[in-house]
Amino acid sequence: ATDRGRIIYAHSDDSLRTEVNASERMRIHSNGHVGIGTTASTADLELETTEKASGTNLASGGICLRNSGTVSNGDVLPITGRFVSSAEPRAGIGFITETQDGIAGYGGAIGFYTLGSADGAQLTSSHERVRIDKSGNVLIGMTSTSGNGLRLYYNNNGGSILFRQSYGNGYG
């Protein structure tokens, strides 16, 4: 009989290995590094794959973070960085749901978040500093194309990059 799946503790290098379909798929090293798709991870978490997006379908390979719950416009699926073990995260990248064709979650944006205080405050959506919205606008200091902040976007008609700083309802 062939082993199709198993979990192995290897005394030779003090690693814990997971095999699926008779091949090693994940290894936890004695230093705490986790390798998925690799037996020699050099980072805390290393993912190695031969899968990649083919053609124009970016969902066909790579890494996917998925929320299987109900979403509303503006919900964020975050990846955050904690620099001191007992502190709250100070920086993050968030995948933001936007409404497209009247349905929340069918449009997407990427937000970049930072917080520079030692007061124990939590990193929240109010700490968003930069957003790339579903239309490709780069918004600095703003979360929509209206309001105060700096907006960068490509003007397809003139072939130039435009910088606009908005002041209320007008632009300066």
Side-chain angles (χ1 to χ4, degrees):
T2 303
D3 289 329
R4 301 303 289 168
R6 60 186 179 161
I7 298 173
I8 306 161
Y9 185 83
H11 290 280
S12 60
D13 65 356
D14 290 324
S15 67
L16 184 65
R17 303 170 186 184
T18 303
E19 291 185 0
V20 178
N21 196 20
S23 295
E24 185 174 333
R25 303 296 183 189
M26 181 177 76
R27 182 180 292 199
I28 302 173
H29 298 271
S30 61
N31 61 4
H33 290 178
V34 176
I36 300 174
T38 179
T39 60
S41 60
T42 58
D44 291 338
L45 176 61
E46 186 169 333
L47 305 168
E48 183 176 311
T49 181
T50 58
E51 296 292 319
K52 55 188 171 290
S54 59
T56 58
N57 184 1
L58 295 181
S60 67
I63 299 168
C64 176
L65 300 176
R66 181 177 300 170
N67 174 1
S68 60
T70 303
V71 297
S72 299
N73 191 48
D75 285 350
V76 179
L77 186 58
I79 300 172
T80 61
R82 185 182 311 248
F83 302 105
V84 179
S85 62
S86 62
E88 293 291 333
R90 302 286 98 189
I93 299 171
F95 302 95
I96 306 163
T97 63
E98 289 188 343
T99 301
Q100 179 72 38
D101 299 326
I103 302 171
Y106 278 78
I110 300 173
F112 298 86
Y113 305 82
T114 60
L115 178 60
S117 70
D119 62 5
Q122 292 184 340
L123 187 67
T124 67
S125 59
S126 68
H127 297 110
E128 185 176 338
R129 307 300 183 217
V130 176
R131 176 180 290 205
I132 303 172
D133 72 8
K134 65 185 176 195
S135 299
N137 292 302
V138 177
L139 311 172
I140 301 172
M142 56 197 302
T143 59
S144 71
T145 55
S146 62
N148 295 324
L150 181 63
R151 177 180 172 199
L152 282 63
Y153 64 98
Y154 179 73
N155 179 350
N156 222 7
N157 297 326
S160 60
I161 295 177
L162 304 175
F163 294 86
R164 283 196 169 170
Q165 183 172 3
S166 62
Y167 297 99
N169 294 329
Y171 292 96

